[in-house]
Amino acid sequence: MLELVKAGGWLMLPIILSSIIALAICVERFLKLNPDKVAPRNLLNQVWGWLQNKQLDAEKLRELRRGSPLAQILATGLANAKFGREIMKESIEDTASHIIHDLERYLNALGTIAAVAPLLGLLGTVIGMIRVFTEIMVQGSGNAGVLAGGISEALITTASGLCVAIPALIMHRYFLRRIDELVVRMEQDAMKLINAMHGEVQIKDSAAGKKS
């Protein structure tokens, strides 16, 4: 492995660094975007139960604000429910925009790595081929070892760049899709709370199978 890195030339360093950063981002986002941590399925029913039993107080609101992203959205809505439906909805949307921004953290960097890594490989290819043709001009085409070294450098950097870019691109698309699903789930729960707070519908307790 070390021989391949050496054969690929100095451009292997930024490619390897990109792979380390991409891996770190993937691990961190995979843990951060756990659906059970972002939008717990039973949270809305729990909050509605507090409301029905008149157990929702300032302490529980503070607890919600320190909880999951969905909990923060619901807490914002509950705190502004007394100002009317539109104010409640606007406050939820404002909080949700900040939460979505947090969910998308580092994904731009991951997308950049997916785009730049193959370009680094291509640059290595160009440099390797320049080296080959320079040696041909200086020594002629008889020195097969020098020619092979330049071609090897070109192929190794290209392959390395693609090996970093392909998984990074896949994971970038995967995380964007997961965020979309989480946002839809949080929007649905937020709208249920808005409608319930203003008497349009009641929230069903999925665990008990009856209306709260």
Side-chain angles (χ1 to χ4, degrees), residues 102-166:
D102 184 63
L103 294 178
E104 293 177 345
R105 183 178 298 175
Y106 307 130
L107 290 190
N108 280 340
L110 186 60
T112 300
I113 289 173
V116 169
L119 296 180
L120 290 173
L122 179 60
L123 179 59
T125 299
V126 172
I127 292 174
M129 296 311 296
I130 290 174
R131 177 182 167 191
V132 169
F133 286 110
T134 300
E135 293 299 331
I136 290 175
M137 291 174 59
V138 174
Q139 302 183 24
S141 59
N143 193 337
V146 173
L147 299 181
I151 295 173
S152 175
E153 178 180 340
L155 296 177
I156 290 172
T157 53
T158 300
S160 299
L162 292 174
C163 286
V164 173
I166 293 172

Side-chain angles (χ1 to χ4, degrees), residues 1-2 17 25 33 48 51 56 59 69 71-72 84 92 97 101 107 117 128 134 142 157 177-178 185 189 197:
M1 187 67 179
L2 183 59
L17 180 61
I25 292 173
L33 298 177
W48 185 243
L51 286 168
L56 186 66
E59 179 59 32
Q72 296 172 35
I92 284 176
S97 66
H101 182 268
L107 290 190
T134 300
T157 53
R177 177 62 179 172
R178 174 171 284 191
R185 185 190 298 185
D189 283 357
M197 290 294 294

Side-chain angles (χ1 to χ4, degrees), residues 14 22 34 56 80 154 156 162 175 180 207:
N34 184 338
L56 186 66
N80 292 276
I156 290 172
L162 292 174
F175 288 132
D180 288 341

